[in-house]
Amino acid sequence: MPEALLSAIGAPRDVAAIDIGSNSVRLVLYRLEGRAIWTVFNEKVLAGLGRDLAVTGRLSVEGAAQALTALKRFAAVIDGVRPAHTFVAATAAVREAGDGPDFCDRVAAETGLRIRVLSGEEEARYAALGVLAGIPKADGVVGDLGGSSLELVRLNDGKVGHGITLPLGPFALADGREFDADRLRETIADRLTPAHDYGAETLYAVGGAWRTLAQVHMGVSDYPLRIVHQFEMDAGEVLGTARLIARSSRASLEKWPGLSRKRAETLPHGALVLEGLIERLGLKRIVLSAWGVREGLLYEALEPEIASADPLLAGCSALGARQGISPTLPGALNGWIAPLMAAMPPVFDRARDAVLADAACRLADLGARLHPDHRTVLAFDQVLRAPVPGQTHAERAYLAAAVNARYGGSASTPEPTTVARLLNEEQRQGARVLGLAIRLACDLSGRSPQLLVNARAGVAGGTLVLTAAAGYADVLLGEQTRRRGKALAEAMGLKLDIRSGD
């Protein structure tokens, strides 16, 4: 393992990761701001290194040539960017091919890149770490489907268990014959026999084929939020999508919007493997993870105090601070609204509600540098679609609705259909109360933590009570405070009582 990537939480670093898979070769550049991990460059080439592996035992000649060309470019990009650290890892195809060592030697000679070939156990472990980096409380089984192999590893409440590697990647299933779904189902069922100990309710799905399948499912189900990470699919429903893909011809798949020719080649195999896993493991839901082996390598290299931080809170802090004004405002807001949130019924659960309230406070100044005529819509959209992990799609909508209310947006929000699909009425109302509470605190104090400590808000006897410290009533409890307090009280179903502390 490399030395810790960060010597201090506040020191940003650029990190590069090259993943040489059986199907794709990819370079990702990350900017790390503590536990907040941003993808700033992402390029892949579907080289198909493992396309011929099942038949020849060697890397595809054409795929190796394409991969080498891509790696020369990636090496040039890295040389220009000069990241603090570079990971270069290869998985099943290079690991299993007879000429894999020769390929690594050639890459080193022609690009200077030194490839770390991961064992099957290592690949499974890093895939699981990548999932945990983006979904810290994940509990179930991780499935990482690459071009040549499927890695399965159990997660027990955020802890990585034992993993196995199975020859179930699309290239490992190819035998030179025409695609025959029924024949492949039998092969998949047979090769899944060692997975009998991996039964779980939830599969955390990693890999390009399954990300594409999820995007197809979004289209079929008219899902409004096209973000793959932590997109959740009901196992029964996704079986229908998998079977639709499996019975579609390659020619028809190539005509589907956004589906490349090379992805159309491997997608039906990925659909059949997912179908087999659902049946073999008794899965009830599939949760997509956009983070996998690359992020697992990165996550392992973080200092423990950074790695243990909540990725949602870290991401919201970085996003809010970039556009905000006062670094001390979020903490002051969170403390000030706590009595109001405690008076509300749980929305998700008490512990999670507290985390989301903290996240919303970290985003409270997100619109400070945005044009006032467009601030509400822009802030809402940024929160809903920001590449911040550690949140479900419902929680994204909740935070976006809260930020909408914080900036004076209507209860319908800029995307009422999306919000209505993702949140129930209680969650929508809870988000609005949270946002209006933050709005009250910000406008009462002029976003000054020093002024905010001289006012209090609480709930007593069906009334929202606002009070100011002695000598501060005139400056804190004016007409604007009354308007903001009235809006919050109405959203909470309360009366409003403004009292001087003199």
Side-chain angles (χ1 to χ4, degrees):
M1 187 181 86
E3 293 182 6
L5 294 175
L6 297 178
S7 58
I9 289 178
R13 292 289 187 272
D14 292 322
V15 179
I18 295 176
D19 177 9
I20 304 169
S22 301
N23 193 26
S24 66
V25 179
R26 186 187 296 265
L27 165 65
V28 181
L29 298 178
Y30 301 96
R31 164 58 63 95
L32 275 64
E33 297 176 292
R35 182 64 165 80
I37 301 172
W38 308 102
T39 298
V40 296
F41 182 81
N42 190 331
E43 182 175 324
K44 73 174 179 180
V45 174
L46 291 174
L49 269 176
R51 181 176 289 109
D52 303 330
L53 188 61
V55 177
T56 68
R58 298 174 65 83
L59 299 174
S60 162
V61 174
E62 179 185 354
Q66 290 185 20
L68 184 59
T69 299
L71 291 169
K72 287 178 180 178
R73 167 172 161 73
F74 294 169
V77 171
I78 289 170
D79 187 56
V81 173
R82 298 188 180 278
H85 189 82
T86 298
F87 299 96
V88 185
T91 53
V94 176
R95 178 173 68 238
E96 296 172 7
D99 56 346
D102 293 337
F103 175 77
C104 293
D105 290 342
R106 186 178 176 190
V107 169
E110 298 190 28
T111 70
L113 297 171
R114 301 288 176 178
I115 299 173
R116 176 184 175 186
V117 180
L118 301 179
S119 68
E121 184 176 339
E122 287 176 323
E123 187 177 354
R125 178 173 172 272
Y126 282 120
L129 284 175
V131 170
L132 290 178
I135 313 174
K137 298 294 185 180
D139 187 274
V141 63
V142 173
D144 182 3
L145 183 67
S148 293
S149 65
L150 168 70
E151 279 67 48
L152 292 176
V153 57
R154 185 171 295 284
L155 292 177
N156 296 306
D157 193 26
K159 301 290 191 301
V160 178
H162 179 66
I164 58 171
T165 297
L166 302 173
L168 282 168
F171 296 147
L173 291 169
D175 56 9
R177 291 184 284 178
E178 287 266 334
F179 179 86
D180 183 324
D182 290 335
R183 185 183 75 246
L184 286 172
R185 283 189 178 98
E186 293 180 5
T187 300
I188 291 167
D190 181 61
R191 295 185 185 181
L192 278 175
T193 300
H196 65 276
D197 289 334
Y198 287 81
E201 291 191 354
T202 304
L203 173 74
Y204 295 91
V206 179
W210 285 343
R211 288 195 298 271
T212 303
L213 185 147
Q215 290 165 340
V216 171
H217 187 71
M218 287 176 177
V220 170
S221 61
D222 197 27
Y223 189 75
L225 185 59
R226 301 303 173 95
I227 294 174
V228 168
H229 188 67
Q230 288 186 249
F231 172 57
E232 184 173 320
M233 301 182 290
D234 176 84
E237 292 179 355
V238 81
L239 276 176
T241 300
R243 288 165 180 164
L244 169 66
I245 292 169
R247 65 173 178 263
S248 298
S249 68
R250 182 171 170 181
S252 66
L253 287 174
E254 289 177 2
K255 295 177 182 177
W256 288 14
L259 193 60
S260 69
R261 178 181 61 82
K262 289 186 176 180
R263 187 60 76 191
E265 174 188 2
T266 59
L267 182 58
H269 298 81
L272 288 177
V273 172
L274 184 56
E275 179 185 318
L277 283 171
I278 290 170
E279 294 172 352
R280 168 70 67 170
L281 305 185
L283 301 171
K284 293 184 178 179
R285 67 188 66 85
I286 317 298
V287 177
L288 270 292
S289 173
W291 289 19
V293 170
R294 291 181 301 275
E295 291 76 17
L297 288 162
L298 189 159
Y299 182 61
E300 183 187 56
L302 294 176
E303 286 187 345
E305 65 172 317
I306 296 172
S308 64
D310 186 311
L312 171 61
L313 296 180
C316 289
S317 287
L319 190 63
R322 188 171 297 121
Q323 295 180 195
I325 304 298
S326 171
T328 58
L329 179 62
L333 289 174
N334 195 34
W336 197 85
I337 69 170
L340 302 176
M341 297 300 100
M344 292 291 292
V347 175
F348 293 93
D349 62 61
R350 286 292 183 193
R352 193 58 183 167
D353 289 353
V355 172
L356 293 172
D358 190 354
C361 289
R362 296 173 192 232
L363 296 167
D365 228 12
L366 186 66
R369 302 175 196 267
L370 300 176
H371 194 290
D373 291 348
H374 307 285
R375 181 178 289 144
T376 303
V377 173
L378 291 174
F380 173 90
D381 187 65
Q382 284 189 59
V383 175
L384 184 65
R385 295 181 170 84
V388 175
Q391 55 180 331
T392 66
H393 283 202
E395 291 169 349
R396 284 178 173 276
Y398 179 82
L399 288 174
V403 169
N404 169 75
R406 180 265 178 271
Y407 283 112
S410 69
S412 64
T413 78
E415 294 188 31
T417 302
T418 300
V419 172
R421 177 81 175 264
L422 296 174
L423 299 178
N424 60 35
E425 177 59 32
E426 290 75 19
Q427 291 167 336
R428 293 195 295 272
Q429 187 63 19
R432 185 152 185 83
V433 167
L434 173 58
L436 290 175
I438 293 172
R439 181 172 174 80
L440 169 62
C442 287
D443 289 356
L444 175 151
S445 64
R447 299 181 5 269
S448 164
Q450 291 77 17
L451 278 178
L452 188 59
V453 296
N454 291 289
R456 293 198 309 275
V459 176
T463 301
L464 170 62
V465 180
L466 298 179
T467 58
Y472 282 89
D474 289 343
V475 296
L476 295 180
L477 303 181
E479 183 56 35
Q480 174 149 285
T481 296
R482 183 172 295 277
R483 290 199 304 270
R484 300 292 184 255
K486 184 173 184 293
L488 175 59
E490 289 177 351
M492 297 178 75
L494 303 173
K495 298 176 182 177
L496 176 64
D497 183 7
I498 297 180
R499 303 173 185 173
S500 169
D502 294 338

